[in-house]
Amino acid sequence: MSVPAETRIRRAMTNCSKGEASRMTLPAWVRDLDPDHLDDVHGWRDPKAPERAVLLVPTDHGPAGIMLRTATGTARTAAMCALCRTTHSVGGVALFAAPRQGAAGRHGDTVGTYICADLGCARHVRVEHPTAALRPAPGTTTDERRIGLRERAVEFVGAVTGSRA
């Protein structure tokens, strides 16, 4: 019998307890993902707790889920997402913090970075023409931006888990 995608995504969570993973709200589109064949980094905010978010990253060892927290505010100036390297107008980037995996995280140790406030990095790297609100890295192709996003997201997973993802 096949394990449902929702269960596999919850099992992929690396930096939270099983209870936290079971309580997180998965949007309908996430339940439709095939965790075994992820090509892109996917992110979403928990609709029941907007300060909580999830980043689902394809790695060489399968999907890795990272539980994130953010303050309610966003950047007050134009800023660049550290993962997709897309520059956003005011409010488009927010500081997200992820508890480290294991005992360090339970004792409050976190890793933080600036990420697209809507966690839409995979969509943003596909933008062909810059707009006033969204500007992908100049001089790069969509494929280069997708590869770069995945590499930086895997590095972030490694920083959270203390290993090479």
Side-chain angles (χ1 to χ4, degrees), residues 84-106:
C84 68
R85 303 260 169 97
T86 300
T87 304
H88 294 265
S89 59
V90 175
V93 173
L95 177 62
F96 286 88
R100 288 193 187 270
Q101 186 177 37
R106 288 189 297 277

Side-chain angles (χ1 to χ4, degrees), residues 44-116:
W44 65 92
R45 287 188 187 235
D46 187 328
K48 293 184 181 175
E51 74 285 347
R52 188 172 47 215
V54 176
L55 201 60
L56 189 62
V57 179
T59 73
D60 292 341
H61 309 290
I66 302 292
M67 184 72 69
L68 303 164
R69 291 232 176 249
T70 187
T72 55
T74 56
R76 294 182 178 169
T77 63
M80 180 185 289
C81 171
L83 297 182
C84 68
R85 303 260 169 97
T86 300
T87 304
H88 294 265
S89 59
V90 175
V93 173
L95 177 62
F96 286 88
R100 288 193 187 270
Q101 186 177 37
R106 288 189 297 277
H107 290 101
D109 193 3
T110 62
V111 178
T113 193
Y114 287 94
I115 303 175
C116 297

